[in-house]
Amino acid sequence: MLLAICAPPLSASADEQSDAAKLVETVRQAAIVLGHGGPAKAQLRSISAAFDGKGIAQAVLGAHWRSASADDRAAVVDALLYAIAHRLADKLERTQDKSFTVLGTKALANGDILVRSEFRRPLHGPTSVDWRVRHCRGQLCIGDVFVDGGSVTVQQRDRIGQLLAANGGSIPALVADLRKGRV
């Protein structure tokens, strides 16, 4: 009896994994609506709320995060989420329900959940897209996306590092580039 009371419920993990898959689907649907010219403000807000903007910005900026002012950090998070939403909208607007499949979920040792999905496009092979979902701000949020095994956060970190090196480390210039879709 004591064992039954102390043991964590097995369904909580399954429920969290199901919720993570639903989060991915919500983001995909919002990106499709945004890509088709839907209500931009609501879709941007929905997509932005689904991502761990602060965690992604810290990973992308690296040492620049520590030296940035609070206002610059907030501006980077906002601009990065804006760029993520628009990039997703560009990539997903031509997908249809039949071309996107959630293949499954996997609980990772650190508590994150990996949502494995696949896009199929005519005349192309399948593209694997894995979404790393974690707890942040008291809810599930997306911490990274892996396209064909490559981390989008790492790709962005490398690209943003180059931009910061080229612009003398100017965070405001980086924010402008993110808003203009140059990253």
Side-chain angles (χ1 to χ4, degrees), residues 3 10 12 16 20 24 27 35 44 46 49 52 60 69 75 85 89 98 102 119 138 156 167:
L3 184 59
L10 294 177
E16 262 191 355
V24 167
V27 167
L44 284 169
S46 176
D52 179 7
V60 166
S69 70
K98 64 183 178 209
V102 171
F119 289 95
Q156 288 296 341
N167 74 18

Side-chain angles (χ1 to χ4, degrees), residues 13 25 33-34 66 70 81 86 89-90 92 97 101 114 127 130 137 139 142 144 149 151 159 161 165 171 176:
S13 179
E25 182 58 30
V33 170
L34 180 63
R66 289 186 295 278
L81 290 171
H86 282 282
D90 290 344
L92 298 179
D97 287 340
T101 306
L114 192 66
T127 299
D130 298 335
R137 302 179 315 272
Q139 63 186 24
I142 299 165
D144 200 358
S151 165
R159 177 73 179 122
I171 299 289

